[in-house]
Each structure stands twice: as structure tokens, then as C-alpha cells.
Amino acid sequence: MINTNEALQRFEKLIELQRSRVQAMKAQGDFVDYSSLDKIIIGVCGGDGIGPVITHEAERVLRFLLSEQVAAGKIEFRRIDGLTIENRVACMKAIPDDVLAQLKECHVILKGPTTTPRAGDPWPNIESANVAMRKELDLFANVRPVKVPSLGIDWTFFRENTEGAYTLGSFGFEVEDGISLDFTVTTTEGTLRIARMAYEYAHKNHKNHVSIVTKANIVKATDGKFLSLCQQVAAEYPEITTDDWYIDIMTAKLVDEKRRRDFRVFVLPNLYGDIITDEAAEFQGGVGTAGSANLGKRYAMFEAIHGSAPRMVEEGRANYADPCSILRASVLLLSHIGYQEQADKLEAALDKCMFEEKAMTITGRNTGCTTEDFGNYVMQTIESL
């Protein structure tokens, strides 16, 4: 607990920190052109709990799909350990320095789930490794697709990754008289780049509808700014229908069987994006079936969207963990680095294995197949396509 003067000093430092971040955003160059690289380095970072198990399986499938490129030296896989909660706590850093250095040597990263301490946990209160990685590598766009053809669902969410309520999550404090404060941040540069990425995606992929999701009627300064700037970008794309929704009613409309078929692309701040994409994933079979991309200009990270499931490890069930989420993320990775044919094959195989054929099922227990068995099933399906 601190006094008011110290609180003001801390707040001033936070503002200066954000000013520096904005200047860094303005100084950035263009996106990496993967086709111009002699070799693409894919870092494989297992994380915590079931993370190493499912990430290993995704690496196996990727190596299978990219075997020719690996043999020719065009693709290199690098194993990056050290992002476990034990190692992070020992360093008292969200990402240990040596791990961060290894991550920065890669072009793209395939990442397993990591544990974020919460109140009541035995771990100290260190920042989320995901949040830290997104900030350190400036992975400003979290892209999560959800597709269920039988329900008419074809959604792609563009969640701003480096601002909003999460970016300063470890900087909140309690002042005297028992008042606790957290902070949310919206910048012009940060909002314009996520909005432009969403609209460019919609334009290039012939998606005719973009929905902006905020709570701008209540959170007027930050959400209001986000909405206004997204609408400015929308004006540059008159061929795309744009509407805006408040986050509470949008969560309801996603379960509206008639209305949800109209939605295609969403752009929204960090916290709302985290909540609504988990809801959306349930239509596809749960968070265990959905992957996500975290994109910046220099780096990109692809991950499962679920947690590290420490209980599965404690109960000896890690080898029954569902790898579908990180395999879906691998589809996004392949597409991002320019291997669209391989991405299409993996997506088609996953659709067949998860929704159509279902010759093997993952239950998380010995009532279903193992993680490795399912990986083999996916690779066999790819060969049969």
C-alpha cells in the first residue's frame, strides 16, 4: 500500500513508458518478406504443463509437411526451453533474458501454453509470459479464426494485443485508504495498425463485413478512441460493410442462430477479444480446438489458446492432451510464412479428423487416443488427401 504522492509518481512513469512505446511504433519499418529469406527459423517453445507434449506433436506434423524444405536448409526448427513457471520464478522475470534472446533469433515461434500466477497460487506475482512476449516482440495483432460450416460460422477475430486492459496488468497498485487501481491504454498508433490489418485481411480475403466491438458508451476515453479510429479506417474501404457493437450485446449475438451467420471479421481491444474468442471457440468444440496467431512486423508467434493444464500433468495424463489447438495454430504459421499449400492440407486433415471421420478421439484420458496417436492420425490423413 502506497501514499497518493507515490501513486502520482508511478502514474507519471507509466505515461512516459507509453510515450516511448508510441515513438518505437512510429519508427518501425515494413513487415518481413519471408520469400526473400534464405532460411526461416521456427522456434519451438514448449512452455508449461501439457505445453511441451502438444508442442512436440505440432513440431512433428510441421516437420512432416516441410520435410523437403528442412532437407534443403530452407527451414530450421530450434527448440527453446526455459519458459516454465519454475524457471521464470527463479529469475523473477516473465521471460528470462536467455530465453528472450533465443526467441529473438527466430523469425516465427510455435509456443505452448504458459502458467500465469493468480491470487492464491503458490507462485509470486510475475507478469504473464504471453503479455510480456507480445510487448517485447511487439506482436500487436492476435488473430483467431473460428469456422463451423454446418452452422454458417466463418469468423476471424483481430484482437489488439499490446494495449487495452492487459498491457499494464502488472503495474496496478493499492493506495492508502484501501483503493486499488489498474490501468487501460489506447493509443492512436496502436489502434490504427490493428484496424488496418483487419480491414486489409477482409479486403484480400473477400470478407464483406467488419464489426468493431467496444464498450464505448461507458468507457468513453479509451474505447471511444478505439471505435472512432477504427471507423476512420473503415471509411477507406467503402466496399466493406462496417458496424459497431458493444461487447455485452455481441456476446449475446454470437449465440443468435440467425444473426451470427452475418458476422465475418471482428476488430476489438485486448480484454474483450480474450473473452469473446473463448466464447466463439466453443462453437468449434472448445478452446482445445482453436489456435491463434500473434503478428508483428518483425516477429510472429503461434499458440494454443488454452491453459497449461497442470492437473493433467499431476494426474499422469499429459500424454492424452489434445493437440488440436496448437495444430490449428500451425495452419496459421504455415500460411504466414508462405507455405499455403501445406497450410491447406493441414487444415483439411484437421477438419476431417476432428469433425467428419473421427476415427480417433481425444478425451484427455485413457478413454481416448494419446497425443501421439492423434498426430499420427493427422499425418496419415494428410497422405490420403
Side-chain angles (χ1 to χ4, degrees):
M1 192 176 297
I2 61 177
N3 60 41
T4 302
N5 287 335
E6 186 177 349
L8 292 174
Q9 292 171 8
R10 289 193 183 189
F11 187 57
E12 185 176 15
K13 289 180 180 178
L14 291 180
I15 293 174
E16 290 304 316
L17 178 67
Q18 294 308 304
R19 284 176 176 157
S20 298
R21 193 174 66 84
V22 169
Q23 292 306 312
M25 280 192 275
K26 290 179 177 179
Q28 285 184 339
D30 295 327
F31 285 87
V32 171
D33 178 7
Y34 293 98
S35 65
S36 69
L37 299 177
D38 294 331
K39 178 170 64 177
I40 299 173
I41 301 173
I42 302 174
V44 181
C45 190
D48 280 319
I50 63 170
V53 177
I54 62 172
T55 307
H56 171 71
E57 206 55 41
E59 180 185 353
R60 237 178 24 108
V61 173
L62 284 172
R63 284 182 178 274
F64 171 75
L65 283 161
L66 298 170
S67 57
E68 293 182 10
Q69 290 76 19
V70 172
K74 294 182 178 179
I75 297 285
E76 177 187 341
F77 287 88
R78 289 188 185 175
R79 187 70 57 83
I80 301 173
D81 298 317
L83 205 58
T84 63
I85 184 64
E86 292 84 1
N87 196 38
R88 290 158 54 214
V89 166
C91 301
M92 280 308 293
K93 289 189 174 182
I95 305 176
D97 292 341
D98 61 328
V99 175
L100 182 59
Q102 292 176 70
L103 293 171
K104 288 184 174 180
E105 291 175 355
C106 304
H107 296 103
V108 297
I109 299 153
L110 184 69
K111 178 189 160 295
T114 50
T115 300
T116 301
R118 60 181 181 178
D121 283 353
W123 306 109
N125 183 27
I126 57 173
E127 185 180 34
S128 159
N130 271 11
V131 172
M133 192 178 298
R134 289 163 184 165
K135 288 193 291 187
E136 288 284 350
L137 305 183
D138 200 23
L139 306 175
F140 66 86
N142 183 265
V143 184
R144 295 185 178 183
V146 172
K147 184 185 293 184
V148 188
S150 62
L151 299 178
I153 291 173
D154 181 10
W155 301 330
T156 306
F157 296 86
F158 283 78
R159 165 192 171 193
E160 204 294 317
N161 236 0
T162 58
E163 300 190 352
Y166 284 6
T167 188
L168 298 176
S170 61
F171 292 92
F173 48 76
E174 183 176 1
V175 296
E176 54 196 354
D177 301 324
I179 301 170
S180 293
L181 299 171
D182 278 307
F183 304 95
T184 187
V185 174
T186 297
T187 70
T188 299
E189 292 291 328
T191 304
L192 287 176
R193 64 183 185 177
I194 188 68
R196 188 152 282 113
M197 180 178 279
Y199 276 92
E200 274 297 294
Y201 170 85
H203 173 71
K204 290 177 180 178
N205 290 275
H206 309 291
K207 310 284 187 180
N208 61 358
H209 189 175
V210 174
S211 301
I212 307 164
V213 183
T214 67
K215 193 60 178 171
N217 59 329
I218 303 298
V219 188
K220 297 182 185 295
T222 50
D223 280 22
K225 182 183 186 72
F226 189 94
L227 173 59
S228 176
L229 291 172
C230 286
Q231 289 172 330
Q232 288 181 32
V233 174
E236 302 172 19
Y237 299 84
E239 76 282 7
I240 296 174
T241 299
T242 295
D243 53 19
D244 68 273
W245 296 80
Y246 299 137
I247 180 61
D248 45 358
I249 192 63
M250 176 54 74
T251 61
K253 289 303 173 185
L254 289 190
V255 300
D256 183 330
E257 293 184 4
K258 294 181 180 179
R259 195 59 186 267
R260 69 188 180 201
R261 294 172 177 265
D262 298 334
F263 299 121
R264 287 295 177 265
V265 177
F266 303 78
V267 59
L268 61 176
N270 205 334
L271 172 61
Y272 309 145
D274 189 15
I275 294 168
I276 208 168
T277 52
D278 281 3
E279 180 197 15
E282 285 299 308
F283 292 101
Q284 188 174 264
V287 294
T289 68
S292 70
N294 299 267
L295 308 179
K297 291 187 173 181
R298 168 62 180 85
Y299 300 100
M301 182 264 283
F302 302 83
E303 63 177 340
I305 71 171
H306 55 71
S308 58
R311 183 178 298 175
M312 288 189 69
V313 178
E314 292 168 5
E315 296 176 356
R317 297 187 288 115
N319 62 320
Y320 291 99
D322 189 343
C324 288
S325 181
I326 201 156
L327 287 171
R328 287 287 182 186
S330 299
V331 174
L332 300 173
L333 186 155
L334 289 165
S335 178
H336 184 73
I337 62 176
Y339 289 95
Q340 192 59 49
E341 181 181 351
Q342 289 88 337
D344 292 342
K345 285 183 178 180
L346 179 53
E347 183 171 33
L350 287 170
D351 287 345
K352 193 169 184 178
C353 295
M354 293 169 62
F355 305 129
E356 300 166 18
E357 210 175 66
K358 296 183 179 179
M360 291 187 180
T361 56
I362 287 275
T363 65
R365 299 179 180 276
N366 60 9
T367 53
C369 67
T370 67
T371 311
E372 183 178 359
D373 288 339
F374 194 84
N376 290 336
Y377 176 36
V378 169
M379 288 185 281
Q380 290 165 7
T381 303
I382 290 171
E383 287 185 317
S384 70
L385 293 175

